[in-house]
Amino acid sequence: MTAGQITYDMDELLHFYAESGLDIALSEEPVDQFAASEKAERLRKEQLSQMAAQRQPQNAQRQAQSNQRPANAAPATRAAPTPVFAPSTSQAVPDAQQIALARESAASANTLQELRERLAAFDGCGLKFTAKNLCFEDGNPDAAIMFVGDVPGRDEDMEGLPFAGRTGQLFDNMLSAIGLTREQTYLANMICWRPPGNRIPTPLEIELCQPFIERQIALANPKIIVSFGGPVTKLLTNAADTILRVRGNWLSHATAAGVQIPVMPSLHPAYLLRSPAQKRFAWQDLLSVKAKLQELGA
Ligand code: URA
């Protein structure tokens, strides 16, 4: 094989990788993610069978007790279940427990810095293990206006910041059109880790990250929120309609403490890059945002 042929094959291979979503190298050595998830699945099954094994003697004991009990006796009080899983953030813990852990962890953060630390330590969402960086926030947490995007892309993952690269440039231009800079706004994402190959996050991944973005909003306590795109709008406001129908209309986000924050649903800058004809709608939304900020004296 000649050197020319090798170059050609490498080129083809790199194209194939890029089209399959493998567009950045995360480390020098390849990591077999399939083996990692098989191991997690094996651990999960082992824990489930341990659970079943622990339950068996209890069931047998209960059965024996109920056989001995006279038919008219009062029902026996239920023994407290043996805790099978110590609180842990292992990936092998079943989904419902991970969601409970995410809620507990987010609720226990009293500052944005603590929340960032809790999120960085949370192992329940698999996206953490394929992303290069956590994209937690940018801008000024004391700003009156908070923008919430959906998921980091390649540029954000490389920089560890929301709204970087081309999307970020367009976002900055949109801000400057209403006289704002990034430093006068606070930015966050519904999910802080880039899904591999920019795939759509699963409902479980969204649910696992929901307590963190909700707590982030509560702690930043902005006067208004702009939600970019359908999934973020749905998560924050429960809006059932498509983003093209709901955009431009003020909705509301209720924090856990019951504070209502006005939300302007708008079109995501990444979508506007692909569909520039829609920018006129985003412009209308930005004008409403500007008017609202003035109305609130912010
Ligand atoms: N899209 C987002 O929602 N957030 C980013 O940070 C980048 C793209």
Side-chain angles (χ1 to χ4, degrees):
M1 192 181 278
T2 67
Q5 269 175 312
I6 292 172
T7 310
Y8 173 79
D9 290 344
M10 282 300 283
D11 209 36
E12 287 286 295
L13 186 61
L14 288 174
H15 268 93
F16 172 76
Y17 281 156
E19 278 162 12
S20 315
L22 302 173
D23 49 6
I24 49 171
L26 293 179
S27 65
E28 291 295 320
E29 296 300 323
V31 176
D32 184 351
Q33 301 288 353
F34 289 111
S37 64
E38 275 163 17
K39 187 171 167 212
E41 182 56 18
R42 231 185 6 258
L43 277 171
R44 193 177 78 85
K45 285 194 178 139
E46 273 167 29
Q47 287 190 312
L48 287 174
S49 59
Q50 273 171 22
M51 255 169 97
Q54 285 187 348
R55 263 199 245 106
Q56 248 172 9
Q58 288 173 8
N59 289 347
Q61 197 185 356
R62 263 201 296 276
Q63 188 59 48
Q65 280 168 354
S66 88
N67 289 346
Q68 284 164 7
R69 217 178 302 130
N72 59 356
T77 49
R78 219 167 232 260
T82 316
V84 177
F85 298 115
S88 119
T89 50
S90 146
Q91 270 192 295
V93 175
D95 302 340
Q97 291 206 9
Q98 291 293 7
I99 293 168
L101 282 171
R103 292 205 184 113
E104 207 179 288
S105 168
S108 71
N110 293 315
T111 63
L112 288 166
Q113 180 54 31
E114 278 180 15
L115 187 66
R116 177 197 276 270
E117 286 160 13
R118 302 279 195 285
L119 195 49
F122 180 63
D123 287 346
C125 178
L127 295 177
K128 171 178 172 178
F129 300 97
T130 48
K132 187 172 166 59
N133 279 304
L134 175 76
C135 300
F136 181 66
E137 63 180 355
D138 199 13
N140 176 2
D142 296 324
I145 180 166
M146 177 168 182
F147 289 84
V148 184
D150 48 13
V151 289
R154 180 181 182 276
D155 295 317
E156 289 75 19
D157 189 35
M158 299 296 275
E159 291 191 26
L161 291 173
F163 297 101
R166 281 182 71 219
T167 314
Q169 269 166 21
L170 176 58
F171 173 70
D172 289 342
N173 291 341
M174 289 162 67
L175 286 181
S176 90
I178 52 164
L180 291 177
T181 64
R182 190 178 276 243
E183 292 67 39
Q184 292 170 305
T185 67
Y186 184 52
L187 322 180
N189 274 323
M190 170 179 88
I191 291 183
C192 289
W193 294 286
R194 179 197 186 201
N198 293 343
R199 68 159 169 75
I200 294 174
T202 64
L204 175 63
E205 287 160 353
I206 296 177
E207 204 174 345
L208 284 164
C209 293
Q210 181 172 6
F212 294 100
I213 181 61
E214 288 185 346
R215 187 72 184 141
Q216 194 170 0
I217 291 171
L219 290 169
N221 194 23
K223 289 204 162 76
I224 65 174
I225 297 172
V226 177
S227 58
F228 278 143
V232 183
T233 303
K234 181 159 189 279
L235 189 82
L236 300 187
T237 69
N238 284 327
D241 240 332
T242 64
I243 187 64
L244 290 172
R245 283 184 196 276
V246 295
R247 59 139 288 276
N249 298 292
W250 284 102
L251 302 175
S252 187
H253 171 71
T255 69
V259 178
Q260 293 288 337
I261 305 178
V263 176
M264 169 54 65
S266 191
L267 304 176
H268 198 292
Y271 168 74
L272 297 175
L273 284 174
R274 296 191 300 273
S275 315
Q278 306 282 31
K279 283 186 187 167
R280 62 205 158 108
F281 296 120
W283 173 237
Q284 287 168 11
D285 303 344
L286 286 170
L287 291 179
S288 300
V289 164
K290 187 177 177 184
K292 186 73 144 190
L293 285 173
Q294 278 164 357
E295 183 189 316
L296 296 172

